[in-house]
Amino acid sequence: MRAVEAPTLGDLTWNQYRSQVINAITDVEAQMHHLRKSVNTEGMTYEVAELLKLEIIDQEDFDVLSALVKAVRHVGREAIRATKEDHGGQFCLRLL
C-alpha cells in the first residue's frame, strides 16, 4: 500500500494505523538507542515505511507519512524513556 492510501483521521482504522506507526517509531528509536546513533525525521520516515511495508513512490507519499511521524514521534520517545525508567535502564528491543 502506498503511504497516501493509508488511513487518515476519521477512518475506522485510523487508531490502529496510528498505533502501528507509533510502535514502529518506538522500535526504531530503541534500536538507534542501542546502537548509540540517532536518525532524523527523514530517516525515521523511511524506516517506518519499511517496517510497515508502505510504499513511498513520490513526494506526496513521503510528505503524508513524514507529517504523521513528526506528529507522533514524541510518543515513541516517551515510551522508550518510560520503559527504561521502569526497568532500571534495561529494556527489550521489540522488532516487528
Side-chain angles (χ1 to χ4, degrees), residues 11-90:
D11 289 342
L12 293 175
T13 57
W14 165 249
N15 287 334
Q16 179 184 4
Y17 174 67
R18 181 180 170 271
S19 293
Q20 289 173 333
V21 170
I22 291 169
N23 289 337
I25 289 169
T26 302
D27 288 345
V28 173
E29 290 284 3
Q31 186 176 25
M32 291 297 112
H33 180 79
H34 179 72
L35 297 172
R36 297 176 190 237
K37 295 185 177 187
S38 63
V39 63
N40 62 17
T41 302
E42 181 179 344
M44 180 62 77
T45 301
Y46 285 114
E47 291 290 334
V48 168
E50 184 177 328
L51 286 172
L52 299 181
K53 302 196 182 338
L54 295 172
E55 294 180 5
I56 296 180
I57 296 174
D58 56 21
Q59 190 64 42
E60 184 181 12
D61 287 316
F62 179 83
D63 292 344
V64 166
L65 185 55
S66 181
L68 180 56
V69 166
K70 285 178 190 174
V72 299
R73 189 169 183 183
H74 70 281
V75 177
R77 286 181 173 160
E78 178 59 21
I80 296 283
R81 188 205 58 76
T83 303
K84 271 182 61 178
E85 191 173 281
D86 290 346
H87 296 283
Q90 301 296 317

